[in-house]
Amino acid sequence: MGKLLSVRDLKIEATSYPPGEPPRRISIVNGVSFDLEKGRVLGLIGESGAGKSTIGLAALAYGRGGVEITGGEVTLDGTDILKLGKSGIRGLRGRRICYVAQSAAAAFNPAHRLGDQVIEATLRHGLLSRDAARKRALDLFRMLGLPDPESFGRRYPHQVSGGQLQRAMTAMALCPKPDLIVFDEPTTALDVTTQIDVLAAIKHAIEETGTAALYITHDLAVVAQISDEIMVLRHGDMVEHGPVRQIIEQPVQDYTKALVNMRSIRHDEAPDQSGALLRMENISASYGDGVPVLHDISLHVPRGQTLAIVGESGSGKSTLARVATGLLPPSAGRIEFGGQVLPPARKARSRDDLRRLQLIYQMADTAMNPRQTVREIIGRPLTFYEGLRGSARVARVKELLDQIEMGSGFIDRYPAELSGGQKQRVAIARALAAKPELIICDEPTSALDPLVADGILKLLLRLQEEQGLSYIFITHDIAIVRAIADSVAVMHGGRLVRFGPKSRALAPPFDDYTDLLLKSVPELEIGWLERILATRRRESAGH
Amino acid sequence: MTGFPATLPRPRLWLRRRFPLLARIAERLLLSILLLLTVSVLIFAGVEALPGDFATTYLGQSATPQAVANIRAEFGLDQPVTSRYFEWLGNALQGDFGSSWASGNSVSEQIGNRLGNSLFLAAVSALIAVPLAVGLGVVAVRFRDRLPDRLINILSLAAISLPEFFVGYLLIMFFVVKTSAAAFPATVYDSMSLIERLQVIALPVATLVLVVLAHMIRMTRAAILGVMSSAYMETAELKGLGALRSITHHAAPNALAPIINVVALNLAYLIVGVVVVEVVFVYPGMGQYMVDAVTVRDLPVVQACGLIFAAIYILLNMTADILAIIANPRLRHPR
């Protein structure tokens, strides 16, 4: 097998424009080198800002936004593509190197049919006749397991699901029979049960067509299923590069070891005997259009414990949180808090009712006023609920900053001057300022990098132990549920499919949906995908 | 479970799901009619609320109580407001706006003539302004943040900042008073040929073009830039497509809806801008007719002009909405 792609000492920079300061050059990739042989798959893994997407796009001689390739070589079959002119690069893109974007929903043009977009590059580069290209697209739709392949190409992007779009994007990349495909987090935006199908389709297509690939992701378990080799990146530097087995089983670098040993948190389930703090009975709810989103849901949160609500997007888990907080009054059912019936609408609740139940959002960014300092963000609920002002308020803000392990040095920072993890910590402090009994955490870690997310989870567990807090933890990540929950509620299509203590809810016998959900979560184990698919085939053959 | 409503499809929701395009267009039509009715009430009420009284103004010094009462009875002003409104609306719907209090002529006849003149002025302005604005918008995008873009930006900002009557007087000063390159006043007659008409209205058209051009350029530029920065344009580039193919095949279909919107909104503005410009250039159109009627409190004329301006404005906005709905593939091809 010959060398296909060779990257030597790649340096990439961008210009940043901090407000009120002169523009600055920042380095995004600092001299990364690797080789890729024909037909092999290299996984690029790292946290956000590690430079993995930037490297992937550099293989197409492309810099997104103000990004500039400032040094090094990217050689494809002996030609340095960075030295090619505009038309030379155009001749490579969409012909020898193709790209699969993270959000296929945005990457497809809403105004054209999927089939036309899939064959466009092939036609434009004159690789096949229109009929032959249509035929190839049809074969690819079949290979990728798309429903109704004959008519699939006539649909518009908005007419198919997210998982199907991602597969269609893969078909679009495969259509010109390229030598190399860059997959940029192709399954990150999908639900786990969808992700497994797309992953299987991509793996199958790579094997069938023999294309080489760069597979970019932040999920080590995913990349372990697809790649031959893994390269770990951090802050634009290569940390470790080796065969999949070596990286997973014998990592050398500390950072890689931390990635592999993630989810080191363990929290043993407490017995449910402390009585329910929050109890929701027969809750149904709908938004303005009268279409019900929640159907007859009954569950409770024991005092001082954590209820994890898991489900895919659209399962109604965030809607349930909105009902609990009174933002969306239910159309039927009742809510009890500490033994008292809670008014359904937020406006009918007393200030003390509001104080006892606080909320932490997924996007700490958008949940904070960018023009307020940490002092004001955390201080506001102190004034609102307790009437604290002046030095008493400052003292309490500092105390809260200590509790979230940030220290009083951050008190005059603006949200823009904080990292993602720090912002989420400030959001936690803001919730704590109200001295709540229950905090609803709506996917507070899903936008964070794994190691940072771990720190947030540890903080939440420590606070629970010290202050006897109860949590409703909304997530789609089973690993987090296993790590922190006492009881578990599984939601699907607006219904509660399963509810009980963790040990019972996550143990067989399973209902069909929970079984599918649990089995779809990628495990950090080579051959996991094949094993699951084989089990599925056996099961469907047995039926 | 107590009284949770089953998912009975309400007619509107059902229509929306089944025929999203038709349902939305029908909604717009209904809304426009409703809006027009509301506007008619406002116009009628507004005129009604004007201080002073036509009869007193009309009679001037000789306004004895008896004479005033006679005039009021003659024009039906002694009837209650609501019955006068419905009579006026009913007649207006049949194209009869009553007769002018000042001249006694039929308002509809007068308007027929002048509306044609105004629409001619607006149409000529639009024919020049729309292609020019879209073209300059594309130029601004092509040379983004470079000299042509900045020049277009600064000049259009300057043009926006000047009120149309001021632009009109400036043009008169330069092209009529100083150089006598253009004609003034812009009065047209029935006997004039098309060429003569065009010569005469050169300055009012220039004024109107300057006023709407800036806004259209800036909005076109923003619309195209919005489309150019979307992910599917990156996809096109990563497919190795040329700039021309990317723009015509991938950007244009998506930029169309916002551009149609901008154009229609500005055409509506053109119709309103006509009022002031016509007065400045003494052009015998609707605007001047309305302003003249206001000075003599000729209420039937004021009401008729107001209603027609409102109707054109609403019609253009509705057209913009409907075209934007049709341009949306999500509504054209429902799931």
Side-chain angles (χ1 to χ4, degrees), chain A residues 79-90:
Chain A
T79 321
D80 185 355
I81 63 170
L82 299 182
K83 296 215 168 66
L84 289 175
K86 265 191 180 170
S87 69
I89 289 173
R90 270 214 300 275

Side-chain angles (χ1 to χ4, degrees), chain A residues 25 44 141 160 184 225 247 359 372 466 497 539:
Chain A
R25 300 289 288 174
L44 299 181
F141 292 158
V160 308
D184 194 352
Q225 311 309 320
I247 296 284
L359 196 59
Q372 288 186 342
E466 290 172 3
V497 251
E539 275 169 9

Side-chain angles (χ1 to χ4, degrees), chain B residues 162-182:
Chain B
L162 297 176
E164 49 265 64
F165 69 85
F166 186 67
V167 173
Y169 287 131
L170 276 185
L171 289 178
I172 292 174
M173 190 170 92
F174 282 112
F175 293 103
V176 181
V177 180
K178 296 234 161 131
T179 61
S180 59

Side-chain angles (χ1 to χ4, degrees), chain A residues 57 62 64 90 93-94 99 106-112 117 120 124-125 156 158-159 172 284 289 292 331-332, chain B residues 1 4 7 10 13 17 231-232 234-235 237-242 245 249-250 253-254 329-330 333-335:
Chain A
L57 286 167
Y62 183 78
R64 183 178 281 161
R90 270 214 300 275
R93 292 178 184 163
Y99 180 72
F108 273 113
N109 191 326
H112 297 295
Q117 300 192 55
E120 184 183 19
R124 285 276 133 188
H125 290 296
Y156 282 84
H158 68 271
Q159 293 175 317
M172 185 156 88
S284 293
D289 55 4
S331 51
Chain B
M1 285 292 297
F4 183 66
T7 54
R10 298 183 213 162
L13 284 173
R17 233 168 279 153
Y232 53 79
E234 184 180 278
T235 306
E237 191 167 355
L238 293 179
K239 275 178 175 178
L241 305 182
R245 167 88 182 170
H249 194 72
H250 288 283
N254 293 292
R330 281 162 197 276
H333 310 278
R335 268 168 182 274

